[in-house]
Amino acid sequence: MLEDISGRTSDMYGFINSCLQSLIIEKFGQEIWDKLSSLSGVQDSFMTYTVYDDVLTVSLVQEVCSLMGISADAFLKLFGEHFFSFCKEAGYDTMLRTLGGNLTEFIGNLDALHSYLALSYLEMNAPSFRVETTEDGEMLLHYYSDRRGLFYIVPGIMEAVAREFFDSNVSMEVLNQCEEDERTGKKEHVVFLVKQTSKTKDQEKSCGPAVGVGGRPFDFSQEEFYRKLRARSSSLAGKRRGWNLIRAAVLSQKDILQRTFTPCYPDKLWMEEKCFCNAFPFHIIFDADLKVKQTGVNIQKFVPSLKAPGAKLDQFFSIIHPQVTLTIESIRKFINSQFVLKSYRDKQTLKLRGQMLWMESLGCMLYLCSPKLRSLQELQDVGLHLADLAQHDVTRDLVLLNQQRQAEMALTNQLERKKEELRILSQHLETEKQKTETLLYAMLPRHIANQLKDGKSVEAGEFEVCTILFSDVVTFTNICAACEPIHVVHMLNSMYSKFDRLTNIHDIYKVETIGDAYMVVGGVPVPTETHAHRVANFALGMRTAAREVTNPVTGKPIQIRVGLHTGPVLAGVVGQKMPRYCLFGDTVNTASRMESHGLPDHIHLSSSTYRELKDAGFDLEERGQVEVKGKGQMTTYFLLGNLLLSDDGIMGREAGRNRLYREELHGQSNKEPDLKTDAECRDSSIVPDNSGSDEITPFFWDVTPPYDTNESSYNKPTHNNSKLCVLL
């Protein structure tokens, strides 16, 4: 169906695409619309008065049908129902309700509504509707459109209108679908059989006008009138109470009275010919051969040749709407439509808009009309003035009101464009903000960074226990002496990128990097029971990752020394320009000594760290007594591996395993800890929930004077200087 219009160059206003976007988001979710946003020309929001190519709309419909696995017919009907609701929400509710007292009148006035909207939507190419009542009382709806394949929208709209406005159900059946042969403009003609069923009575009824076939009024007897009124009131009583019931009964009586109304006509028309031509200055009367019999005084000024004997209407006018041939037969078939005729005079164009009335006794047609004008500028362009319009003609008010409305529309369109520009700028601003926050959170813990952004003070905090790790590259000084600086930078960047990834896997905090020194801590700034397990697994991962980095001098994998120590620390933010989150205390110094007194490609542990790991499934080996500068003799250990985790598990490469640790954050959550599976019971540590990491007790500014730091030697393990600020 939709392929028929995909190659056309017709346009639709943004209002239609906005409705389509609203339907997709409401019925199928924001995710589906996000997928459709990748289509060419699709915007996050469409501007109401901007024209978009039909191809975009059709592409959206085809794509959503493909994604959701539904037929285009079903989706178009759903769109019709949603379009009715969307129009009501957009402020057209009252306008739609006043189109007619029943479904037939409503449909019959849709073309007039489109004609009015065309004053605002200048390039609107709306479909056309015509109602026909057969001899057996059935209602036929004729639908004409330039766009083939969209007629399934009509049942969706009509069913929603009948349900909302006329308290009834409607079913529509396609009787005929063919190429248009009645009208010269529209390309598709679809005929629907319409059946309307009351909600309060399981009985089909005709939704036609208040007169029967041939113009004869319906004949209801007085007894039948009261019977229908009682039945209607009884059916309403079960649904309504109080004033609502009374109001419904009165409206029901009014409806029945309208059906029994019989108009009264005078025996003689009490109006002079001259008075008629002055009162209706823009009217034309012509016979079956289109010969002009009578015209209004002002239309004679504009087209003087109409006064000539034998002048024919088609010599001076052409039909713009409905797009039919200018013959009596075509006009009578579309007699309930609004007719727009166009005339030419000295390169000036005059459009007339009005209704056709067939006078059977005279065999003539009366075209009662007025100029079709959108603005005061058009009034001047055709050479008319407001004085040329009859006092009773609402065209006077329409021109003035539409002049103001066009100015409001121009302002609205400008505001929509500014709003779209602001939305795009806001998106760019949000993107840049995220980049800035990402950089900030890479320098400081998230909750501390948020405290600083809010202008709050951050004081130092004491942590009773944590595990600190230092590492450096063996023979780093020799590498720097033998290589170009850029090669050293590439080596460190490759190595640190791998280490940074491991910090995310094991959820530990990266404190600092200075040269080839890398420092991390577990249990700070968020306390955790498995701080030593996390840092130990991280150290094993570091050693594996370092073997994947090539020494630019020898071409062989680089070697690192790693040292760990567990104990208390003081942590806080120091500095105002480029503030850093630093750790202070003897634990930092001792951890640095463990690294500097370690061996290449080994992970050196203090006795306090050993006690944390000895019963946790790690492969540990005693090194013995080691003389540590400033500490004397210390018993230290080597970490050889994790007996419960594979290398892939430690490196975060094990498929399907994204949880390694489990414990409740100290003082951060009152939730019960997660239950372990049988396979996880072998390990005493599992991943914690980090969702509450931003809720921890804030730290405050540390104003302690800065401490001196000493350079360390990377190629001599006997040099025991620390890599960072140390409290001695």
Side-chain angles (χ1 to χ4, degrees):
M1 292 285 185
L2 297 176
E3 290 77 2
D4 293 338
I5 67 171
S6 59
R8 292 185 56 80
T9 58
S10 300
D11 299 319
M12 287 189 182
Y13 277 90
F15 185 83
I16 302 297
N17 291 331
S18 297
C19 177
L20 183 58
Q21 178 183 8
S22 171
L23 170 64
I24 294 173
I25 294 176
E26 179 179 320
K27 298 296 183 182
F28 307 116
Q30 182 67 44
E31 298 80 8
I32 299 299
W33 178 255
D34 292 340
K35 292 181 180 179
L36 297 174
S37 299
S38 60
L39 294 177
S40 176
V42 176
Q43 304 174 359
D44 290 337
S45 62
F46 297 95
M47 288 180 285
T48 303
Y49 299 108
T50 299
V51 177
Y52 299 86
D53 196 288
D54 274 354
V55 175
L56 173 61
T57 308
V58 175
S59 298
L60 283 172
V61 174
Q62 291 175 333
E63 191 66 21
V64 73
C65 290
S66 175
L67 287 174
M68 303 309 300
I70 60 177
S71 66
D73 300 347
F75 180 80
L76 290 176
K77 183 177 180 181
L78 185 65
F79 174 79
E81 296 178 2
H82 187 78
F83 181 70
F84 172 70
S85 302
F86 191 79
C87 289
K88 291 201 306 175
E89 295 173 0
Y92 293 99
D93 181 44
T94 303
M95 184 182 298
L96 292 171
R97 289 181 183 273
T98 56
L99 285 184
N102 55 50
L103 188 59
T104 300
E105 294 175 354
F106 179 91
I107 298 173
N109 282 282
L110 281 178
D111 282 8
L113 174 62
H114 290 155
S115 178
Y116 165 75
L117 294 177
L119 298 175
S120 302
Y121 300 90
L122 302 181
E123 299 183 42
M124 184 173 68
N125 184 14
S128 182
F129 300 88
R130 177 170 67 89
V131 177
E132 177 186 355
T133 303
T134 63
E135 294 182 357
D136 54 2
E138 291 184 332
M139 174 182 170
L140 301 180
L141 171 59
H142 295 261
Y143 165 82
Y144 306 89
S145 176
D146 279 343
R147 301 176 174 92
R148 298 185 181 92
L150 299 183
F151 61 88
Y152 280 101
I153 296 176
V154 178
I157 295 177
M158 296 306 165
E159 290 177 11
V161 169
R163 182 171 57 251
E164 180 73 17
F165 289 168
F166 306 115
D167 195 30
S168 60
N169 296 320
V170 162
S171 62
M172 299 180 65
E173 176 186 351
V174 177
L175 295 183
N176 188 23
Q177 178 186 358
C178 61
E179 291 290 326
E180 174 54 25
D181 55 2
E182 295 177 326
R183 305 178 60 159
T184 59
K186 303 301 181 183
K187 300 300 185 293
E188 184 174 60
H189 176 201
V190 180
V191 182
F192 295 93
L193 173 62
V194 182
K195 293 184 179 180
Q196 188 175 12
T197 306
S198 172
K199 286 185 177 180
T200 57
K201 291 196 299 185
D202 186 19
Q203 173 184 351
E204 291 188 358
K205 63 179 181 178
S206 170
C207 58
V211 294
V213 178
R216 296 187 301 275
F218 288 101
D219 183 21
F220 290 120
S221 64
Q222 186 176 16
E223 180 180 355
E224 184 180 4
F225 167 77
Y226 287 113
R227 180 184 62 78
K228 289 183 175 291
L229 181 58
R230 286 193 299 270
R232 176 63 173 168
S233 299
S234 299
S235 64
L236 294 173
K239 297 183 177 181
R240 298 175 173 87
R241 296 290 185 271
W243 285 109
N244 290 333
L245 174 60
I246 296 174
R247 180 176 179 273
V250 171
L251 292 177
S252 177
Q253 178 181 0
K254 180 180 178 182
D255 179 65
I256 296 177
L257 288 175
Q258 287 178 343
R259 290 180 176 274
T260 60
F261 170 73
T262 303
C264 179
Y265 299 104
D267 297 332
K268 176 184 177 181
L269 185 61
W270 294 86
M271 190 170 190
E272 296 177 348
E273 290 82 355
K274 182 178 179 180
C275 179
F276 185 88
C277 291
N278 289 326
F280 302 99
F282 292 93
H283 80 273
I284 305 174
I285 297 178
F286 53 94
D287 61 15
D289 296 326
L290 303 182
K291 291 183 179 180
V292 178
K293 300 296 184 181
Q294 178 181 313
T295 58
V297 292
N298 286 342
I299 204 170
Q300 295 175 21
K301 295 179 183 178
F302 196 85
V303 189
S305 301
L306 285 175
K307 297 185 294 183
K312 300 185 67 174
L313 185 67
D314 56 358
Q315 294 176 342
F316 307 98
F317 292 92
S318 60
I319 292 186
I320 302 301
H321 182 273
Q323 294 171 321
V324 298
T325 55
L326 187 50
T327 63
I328 285 294
E329 291 76 14
S330 297
I331 293 175
R332 293 190 64 179
K333 181 175 290 188
F334 293 86
I335 194 70
N336 292 325
S337 300
Q338 185 181 78
F339 282 80
V340 178
L341 303 186
K342 182 173 67 174
S343 174
Y344 298 95
R345 184 194 71 174
D346 298 332
K347 297 183 180 180
Q348 290 181 328
T349 301
L350 174 65
K351 292 183 179 179
L352 300 175
R353 177 180 58 193
Q355 68 178 122
M356 296 284 185
L357 298 170
W358 176 248
M359 298 178 289
E360 187 70 34
S361 61
L362 299 178
C364 292
M365 186 73 72
L366 168 62
Y367 181 42
L368 198 59
C369 59
S370 59
K372 182 180 181 181
L373 303 169
R374 293 191 179 96
S375 63
L376 295 175
Q377 184 61 46
E378 287 190 10
L379 186 71
Q380 294 178 345
D381 291 342
V382 297
L384 293 175
H385 302 83
L386 286 177
D388 295 322
L389 305 177
Q391 294 288 340
H392 62 79
D393 194 345
V394 295
T395 305
R396 284 170 164 259
D397 299 328
L398 184 63
V399 170
L400 296 175
L401 290 174
N402 200 57
Q403 183 77 18
Q404 178 182 358
R405 175 166 173 74
Q406 286 185 339
E408 294 174 351
M409 285 174 51
L411 179 60
T412 301
N413 199 25
Q414 183 179 0
L415 290 176
E416 284 187 343
R417 293 183 181 276
K418 291 297 182 183
K419 178 182 177 181
E420 180 66 14
E421 292 175 3
L422 288 175
R423 186 190 63 80
I424 295 175
L425 289 176
S426 178
Q427 285 183 341
H428 292 165
L429 179 61
E430 184 64 26
T431 301
E432 295 302 320
K433 178 183 176 183
Q434 291 177 357
K435 293 179 181 178
T436 302
E437 290 182 345
T438 300
L439 181 60
L440 179 62
Y441 295 150
M443 299 171 61
L444 295 170
R446 179 181 293 268
H447 65 282
I448 292 179
N450 291 335
Q451 293 284 327
L452 294 176
K453 286 197 309 181
D454 294 339
K456 298 179 181 179
S457 60
V458 181
E459 294 182 355
E462 185 176 353
F463 293 83
E464 294 181 358
V465 61
C466 68
T467 299
I468 297 176
L469 175 149
F470 278 97
S471 75
D472 72 349
V473 177
V474 178
T475 68
F476 181 70
T477 303
N478 296 336
I479 294 175
C480 293
C483 291
E484 294 290 335
I486 190 63
H487 295 154
V488 177
V489 171
H490 287 164
M491 179 193 72
L492 292 178
N493 181 62
S494 175
M495 181 177 67
Y496 288 163
S497 297
K498 297 177 185 296
F499 292 174
D500 291 346
R501 174 180 171 274
L502 289 171
T503 61
N504 294 329
I505 294 173
H506 299 284
D507 195 20
I508 57 178
Y509 180 66
K510 175 184 175 182
V511 181
E512 189 72 89
T513 57
I514 299 179
D516 65 325
Y518 196 91
M519 177 184 179
V520 298
V521 61
V524 177
V526 181
T528 171
E529 293 178 355
T530 56
H531 53 87
H533 311 126
R534 295 170 182 273
V535 176
N537 284 326
F538 172 78
L540 294 171
M542 288 180 73
R543 188 173 61 181
T544 302
R547 294 167 182 167
E548 300 174 357
V549 180
T550 303
N551 186 324
V553 177
T554 64
K556 298 179 180 179
I558 63 172
Q559 290 183 319
I560 61 173
R561 275 188 299 262
V562 182
L564 280 72
H565 178 62
T566 300
V569 295
L570 183 73
V573 177
V574 295
Q576 294 183 344
K577 185 176 183 180
M578 295 184 65
R580 300 295 299 173
Y581 186 70
C582 295
L583 307 181
F584 305 96
D586 187 61
T587 301
V588 179
N589 190 42
T590 304
S592 176
R593 297 290 188 264
M594 290 297 101
E595 176 268 315
S596 60
H597 288 73
L599 299 178
D601 205 31
H602 281 68
I603 301 171
H604 197 200
L605 309 178
S606 67
S607 58
S608 60
T609 305
Y610 168 78
R611 288 192 294 270
E612 294 285 338
L613 300 178
K614 65 179 180 178
D615 297 323
F618 290 93
D619 186 8
L620 305 172
E621 178 183 281
E622 182 177 350
R623 183 182 183 184
Q625 294 287 324
V626 177
E627 179 69 24
V628 178
K629 181 180 179 180
K631 298 293 181 181
Q633 293 290 325
M634 293 183 64
T635 301
T636 60
Y637 302 84
F638 286 127
L639 172 62
L640 303 181
N642 188 328
L643 302 177
L644 303 179
L645 279 178
S646 65
D647 287 346
D648 286 340
I650 292 174
M651 299 297 292
R653 300 168 182 167
E654 193 170 292
R657 183 163 190 168
N658 54 8
R659 295 176 63 87
L660 300 177
Y661 307 96
R662 178 192 328 178
E663 73 283 318
E664 188 172 352
L665 299 179
H666 292 300
Q668 306 306 316
S669 174
N670 295 323
K671 297 180 181 178
E672 293 294 329
D674 297 336
L675 297 178
K676 299 180 181 180
T677 63
D678 292 339
E680 293 169 339
C681 285
R682 298 177 301 168
D683 192 357
S684 63
S685 50
I686 305 241
V687 180
D689 182 5
N690 297 324
S691 61
S693 60
D694 287 343
E695 302 175 10
I696 71 170
T697 304
F699 301 104
F700 298 93
W701 278 103
D702 175 64
V703 293
T704 307
Y707 294 89
D708 295 333
T709 59
N710 299 321
E711 292 185 359
S712 61
S713 174
Y714 299 97
N715 58 345
K716 295 181 180 180
T718 57
H719 289 189
N720 301 324
N721 301 321
S722 64
K723 306 298 185 297
L724 290 179
C725 301
V726 179
L727 267 179
L728 298 175

